């Protein structure tokens, strides 16, 4: 409903011969078009060779992580969304989308699904586990304490990185030294923002791209896989008109630090920069 024709999806999925390898599909809008919409999306992913994270084609996949082997490193993906905008998955298809009570209004969170997925990835001897969470509170620049507690718990269960999304604005990235292994530092990105959206307010065009470099090798006589480097790049959606078409480009914010633009444009860029510094320092 809110996104795409097939032609728009082809633009969003990649550029110049490169495209997404893995996409998170457990979001609060995933059921907007019912079961048919979910299945249509998964068929398109299959055609494009994209691994879906957060949806399951059959009951036997429920409670299990998705595993991808790349360059000799086995990466496990675990995932969930906080809800589906009040929509109910059709009876008999409850396995279709990973839904968890991540931040319930009443009562305690239920993280059983995530814990089961992490356990599965560990049983499958994954070298590295990434938790992808669709959660948080819209337009808040910092996670609430219970989110931090949940993220830390997920890491202690076995996740090596946590990637969050849903608030539509950026939130901090935390480097968390784990108790389960003092030599291991997990990266927790509480919210990356929104790379695709039509709103143009300075705090809404700002997003961040997290790049993780993962290395596998011997450490203290044991085979380990660690995060070798982590970088966070503030970016913003730059919308321009080309003829009668609106074109959106993802621009690196630092490239515009000394931009030679008119006063209104410079004030706009300054506002974007202010929010990046507020959250990321």
């Amino acid at each position: 409903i809110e996104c795409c024709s097939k032609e728009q999806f082809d633009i969003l999925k990649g550029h110049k011969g490169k495209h997404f390898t893995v996409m998170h599909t457990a979001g609060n809008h995933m059921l907007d078009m019912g079961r048919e919409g979910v299945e249509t999306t998964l068929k398109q992913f299959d055609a494009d060779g994209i691994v879906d994270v957060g949806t399951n084609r059959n009951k036997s996949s429920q409670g299990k992580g998705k595993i991808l082997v790349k360059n000799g490193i086995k990466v496990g993906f675990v995932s969930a969304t906080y809800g589906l905008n009040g929509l109910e998955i059709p009876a008999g298809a409850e396995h279709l989308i990973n839904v968890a009570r991540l931040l319930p209004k009443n009562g305690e969170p239920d993280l059983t699904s995530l814990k089961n997925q992490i356990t599965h990835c560990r049983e499958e001897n994954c070298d590295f586990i990434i938790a992808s969470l669709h959660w948080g509170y819209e337009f808040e620049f910092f996670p609430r304490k219970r989110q931090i507690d949940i993220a830390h718990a997920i890491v202690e269960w076995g996740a090596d990185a946590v990637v969050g999304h849903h608030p539509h604005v950026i939130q901090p990235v935390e480097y968390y030294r784990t108790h389960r292994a003092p030599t291991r530092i997990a990266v927790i990105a509480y919210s990356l923002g929104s790379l695709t959206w039509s709103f143009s307010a300075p705090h809404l065009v700002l997003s961040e791209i997290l790049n993780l470099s993962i290395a596998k090798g011997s450490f203290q006589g044991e085979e380990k896989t660690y995060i070798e480097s982590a970088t966070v790049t503030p970016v913003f959606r730059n919308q321009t008109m080309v003829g009668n078409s609106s074109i959106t480009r993802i621009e690196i914010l630092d490239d515009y630090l000394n931009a030679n633009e008119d006063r209104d444009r410079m004030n706009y860029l300054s506002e974007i920069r202010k929010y990046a510094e507020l959250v990321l320092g």
Side-chain angles (χ1 to χ4, degrees):
I1 290 175
E2 294 195 12
C3 177
C4 305
S5 66
K6 175 63 171 60
E7 290 73 22
Q8 288 171 314
F9 177 76
D10 285 340
I11 293 170
L12 291 170
K13 77 182 181 190
H15 186 56
K16 292 185 177 179
K18 295 183 178 181
H19 66 78
F20 289 105
T21 304
V22 179
M23 293 186 76
H24 179 105
T25 48
N28 57 303
H29 288 286
M30 193 57 185
L31 203 60
D32 282 1
M33 295 295 287
R35 183 171 182 173
E36 180 186 358
V38 178
E39 293 175 346
T40 299
T41 300
L42 299 185
K43 287 177 183 177
Q44 189 61 53
F45 277 24
D46 288 341
D48 290 323
I50 298 172
V51 176
D52 57 291
V53 173
T55 35
N56 307 290
R57 289 162 172 76
N58 49 63
K59 291 182 180 179
S60 63
S61 298
Q62 191 174 22
K64 296 180 180 179
K66 294 287 179 74
I67 298 174
L68 181 69
V69 179
K70 189 75 172 179
N71 297 334
I73 298 177
K74 182 183 282 191
V75 182
F77 292 89
V78 306
S79 57
T81 177
Y82 74 92
L84 297 169
N85 292 346
L87 299 174
E88 296 288 339
I89 300 176
E94 290 82 2
H95 61 275
L96 202 57
I97 304 171
N98 292 343
V99 182
R101 285 171 53 86
L102 297 174
L103 299 168
K105 292 181 179 179
N106 300 301
E108 294 297 315
D110 184 354
L111 308 178
T112 305
S113 172
L114 288 166
K115 194 169 188 178
N116 289 342
Q117 292 176 61
I118 290 172
T119 299
H120 171 252
C121 289
R122 297 185 72 172
E123 290 173 346
E124 293 296 315
N125 297 313
C126 287
D127 298 303
F128 196 86
I129 300 174
I130 299 174
S132 184
L133 306 179
H134 199 74
W135 70 337
Y137 299 87
E138 290 185 338
F139 314 119
E140 294 189 6
F141 293 107
F142 298 92
R144 301 189 188 187
K145 182 180 183 300
R146 60 177 178 156
Q147 283 180 265
I148 297 170
D149 292 342
I150 289 170
H152 290 177
I154 291 171
V155 166
E156 296 299 349
W157 292 337
D160 301 297
V162 178
V163 179
H165 28 85
H166 175 65
H168 296 300
V169 295
I170 66 169
Q171 292 182 355
V173 176
E174 178 183 6
Y175 302 91
Y176 174 77
R177 188 176 295 278
T178 68
H179 297 292
R180 61 181 167 92
T183 57
R184 181 176 297 279
I185 295 175
V187 173
I188 304 171
Y190 286 96
S191 174
L192 297 178
S194 297
L195 290 179
T196 59
W197 217 21
S198 59
F199 292 95
S200 59
H203 64 296
L204 297 181
V205 299
L206 175 66
S207 296
E208 57 195 36
I209 292 176
L210 173 67
N211 280 97
L212 299 180
S213 177
I214 301 170
K216 181 178 180 178
S218 178
F219 179 76
Q220 296 181 348
E222 296 182 34
E223 187 178 80
K224 299 286 186 181
T225 303
Y226 286 141
I227 296 172
E228 187 175 47
S229 64
T231 59
V232 181
T233 305
V235 297
F236 70 101
R237 298 189 310 276
N238 192 11
Q239 293 179 315
T240 57
M241 294 299 297
V242 177
N244 293 323
S245 299
S246 175
I247 303 298
T248 300
R249 289 179 55 86
I250 306 301
E251 306 277 12
I252 297 174
L253 183 58
D254 283 355
D255 288 350
Y256 286 77
L257 282 174
N258 300 305
N260 186 19
E261 307 267 3
D262 61 58
R263 178 177 296 179
D264 288 343
R265 179 67 172 170
M266 289 302 295
N267 288 339
Y268 180 68
L269 291 167
S270 178
E271 283 292 301
I272 298 172
R273 217 170 285 124
K274 180 182 73 175
Y275 288 109
E277 292 171 357
L278 168 72
V279 177
L280 300 175

